[in-house]
Amino acid sequence: MSDDKGFKMGDRLEIKVDFIANPKANVSWTFTPWNNNKPQVIKPSQIQENSTTLRIQSLDMSEFGIYQLQLGNRLGKETKVFHVQGKFLSWKILR
């Protein structure tokens, strides 16, 4: 998934991240809505030993925003941010 891809309402969203961690990583996802600065912990669709997947079957406006994945163990942590936003439209003013 590209960080700059535009979505429209009703689109299916799937973010799958493969990783390698030894010792095993703790996986957490948060979501910050586009119109609110309060991150919410969300449950991914799937967590396996070396991958995690977040799926939304049909996006609506309330699901546009910033999704953040954090992987961590006693040796460190990694974070990846995904911006899920609507498609940009270009406008032309006719006279």
Side-chain angles (χ1 to χ4, degrees):
M1 181 186 125
S2 169
D3 285 347
D4 60 357
K5 178 176 171 39
F7 293 92
K8 62 183 187 279
M9 290 183 13
D11 279 354
R12 182 176 192 269
L13 173 68
E14 182 171 303
I15 303 171
K16 181 178 181 190
V17 178
D18 295 316
F19 57 88
I20 298 172
N22 187 11
K24 183 178 174 181
N26 295 312
V27 177
S28 65
W29 285 89
T30 58
F31 169 63
T32 305
W34 66 274
N35 61 351
N36 184 333
N37 285 333
K38 296 179 183 173
Q40 309 163 12
V41 174
I42 57 173
K43 183 178 178 186
S45 304
Q46 184 175 29
I47 297 176
Q48 295 181 331
E49 187 173 331
N50 292 314
S51 71
T52 181
T53 305
L54 178 70
R55 285 187 198 93
I56 299 173
Q57 293 302 321
S58 180
L59 280 170
D60 68 34
M61 186 70 93
S62 67
E63 293 162 321
F64 289 160
I66 299 171
Y67 291 82
Q68 182 172 301
L69 167 64
Q70 186 167 358
L71 304 168
N73 61 23
R74 64 181 170 82
L75 299 176
K77 68 179 177 179
E78 289 290 328
T79 301
K80 177 66 178 167
V81 175
F82 301 91
H83 296 268
V84 176
Q85 58 195 21
K87 292 184 179 187
F88 291 103
L89 301 174
S90 61
W91 295 89
K92 183 176 181 181
I93 298 175
L94 302 175
R95 293 184 183 242

